[in-house]
Amino acid sequence: MFSEKQERIVSVNGSITEILYALQLQESIVAVDSTSTYPKMASTLPNVGYQRTLTTEGILNFKPSMVIGLETAGPKQTIQNLKDARIPVYLLEDDYNVTTPIKRVLEVGKLLQKQKEATILAKQIEKEIQALQIKKTNVKVLFLYSRNPSSIFISGRDTAAHAMIELSGAKNAVTEFSDYKPLTNEALVKANPDIILMPEKSAEGFGGVNAIWQMNGIEFTRAGKEKNIVLVDDLLLLGFGPRLPQVLKTLNEKWKQIE
């Protein structure tokens, strides 16, 4: 265990960064990854790049006393290099359950000797989850992810996007495969989604909402005909952080509106 004064934390995941701030540990953070966009002040901290493409030197430059993120952080060689350099690396499980934020808060709190604050925050999240009144719908949602118009991906099972769609009361329009796959015109028409779901930055990278309606085959889907789309902040949508109940409620209300 470490005392707060001794810490020089590099956080390599946005939801972990959000939790660190919520536990009043921001003074110990010396750098964050590019997914650390909340709270807004986190974006002003030095950045070590994307959590899956970290570099050893980029992190060691900040002389961290610990690196904390999720088990999907990488590449593996960078993580091993950090361990070889005797930097404590703590990578939490990257799961997608409604209780995930509670578990992460308690784990971070225990790791950084903030158990009391973590317990209070965890109970608050649990209360918000229990207050949720998610209505199951038959709305088919297609999650799209892209950073440029030349490549766009859809989410199958066992993804954060799939879990968000299901937990918020809708149905994933594509369940024939797991993980993410490139979108094809045929897959789009076959999925026939009622609504498109995208992270905000992804939509920007694709060229905006109007560009989405120009995709081949979109005009044959209900989403395309009715111009149904929901854009959500990237971290809020896929982070499974403390604001999970908030986004689940928002999405469920969207689904009910178009059912």
Side-chain angles (χ1 to χ4, degrees):
M1 291 297 179
F2 301 79
S3 69
E4 184 177 341
K5 282 187 177 178
Q6 295 171 322
E7 292 303 334
R8 289 182 58 83
I9 302 173
V10 172
S11 172
V12 293
N13 175 265
S15 68
I16 298 298
T17 300
E18 187 173 340
I19 291 169
L20 291 172
Y21 271 88
L23 297 181
Q24 301 297 310
L25 288 162
Q26 59 269 28
E27 297 301 322
S28 299
I29 307 173
V30 295
V32 297
D33 80 313
S34 61
T35 69
S36 298
T37 57
Y38 186 89
K40 191 174 182 180
M41 60 187 76
S43 301
T44 66
L45 290 170
N47 197 299
V48 296
Y50 182 52
Q51 58 182 330
R52 295 177 189 263
T53 56
L54 302 168
T55 65
T56 308
E57 185 175 314
I59 292 176
L60 290 180
N61 281 342
F62 294 98
K63 297 179 172 57
S65 60
M66 73 156 49
V67 174
I68 183 168
L70 301 183
E71 60 188 357
T72 45
K76 290 182 179 179
Q77 188 59 55
T78 296
I79 301 302
Q80 187 57 52
N81 291 343
L82 293 171
K83 292 178 179 177
D84 291 343
R86 299 185 181 279
I87 304 297
V89 179
Y90 299 95
L91 302 180
L92 280 59
E93 186 178 3
D94 191 13
D95 56 1
Y96 315 124
N97 299 304
V98 71
T99 55
T100 293
I102 296 175
K103 185 172 66 174
R104 287 180 183 171
V105 165
L106 293 175
E107 287 186 62
V108 173
K110 183 178 180 181
L111 182 63
L112 290 154
Q113 297 180 309
K114 285 280 189 177
Q115 291 96 329
K116 182 179 178 181
E117 292 84 350
T119 299
I120 293 172
L121 178 56
K123 286 183 177 178
Q124 177 187 322
I125 298 170
E126 184 176 18
K127 186 177 179 181
E128 292 173 0
I129 291 173
Q130 291 174 345
L132 283 173
Q133 295 181 337
I134 300 296
K135 178 193 173 187
K136 292 292 182 183
T137 72
N138 290 316
V139 172
K140 290 194 300 180
V141 179
L142 183 65
F143 177 85
L144 299 183
Y145 181 86
S146 175
R147 289 299 187 197
N148 61 72
S150 63
S151 66
I152 188 164
F153 292 84
I154 54 179
S155 64
R157 304 182 312 277
D158 305 322
T159 62
H162 175 84
M164 284 301 300
I165 292 168
E166 298 282 328
L167 289 173
S168 62
K171 297 180 183 298
N172 190 352
V174 287
T175 56
E176 296 85 0
F177 55 86
S178 59
D179 211 344
Y180 295 89
K181 284 190 174 182
L183 175 67
T184 64
N185 298 342
E186 293 76 14
L188 176 60
V189 175
K190 181 182 178 184
N192 188 22
D194 298 308
I195 191 166
I196 300 295
L197 175 65
M198 289 188 81
E200 287 178 343
K201 287 185 179 177
S202 185
E204 291 174 11
F206 192 68
V209 171
N210 288 336
I212 294 165
W213 304 133
Q214 300 304 314
M215 292 190 303
N216 291 330
I218 191 70
E219 70 272 21
F220 299 112
T221 70
R222 182 190 173 194
K225 292 173 183 174
E226 299 179 4
K227 301 290 190 292
N228 291 330
I229 188 167
V230 170
L231 305 180
V232 182
D233 171 80
D234 298 43
L235 178 60
L236 182 59
L237 179 60
L238 302 175
F240 279 76
R243 294 174 293 157
L244 179 64
Q246 174 186 327
V247 70
L248 289 178
K249 180 181 179 182
T250 299
L251 290 177
N252 189 241
E253 289 172 352
K254 295 287 185 183
W255 311 152
K256 288 187 288 188
Q257 288 172 6
I258 70 160
E259 190 176 28

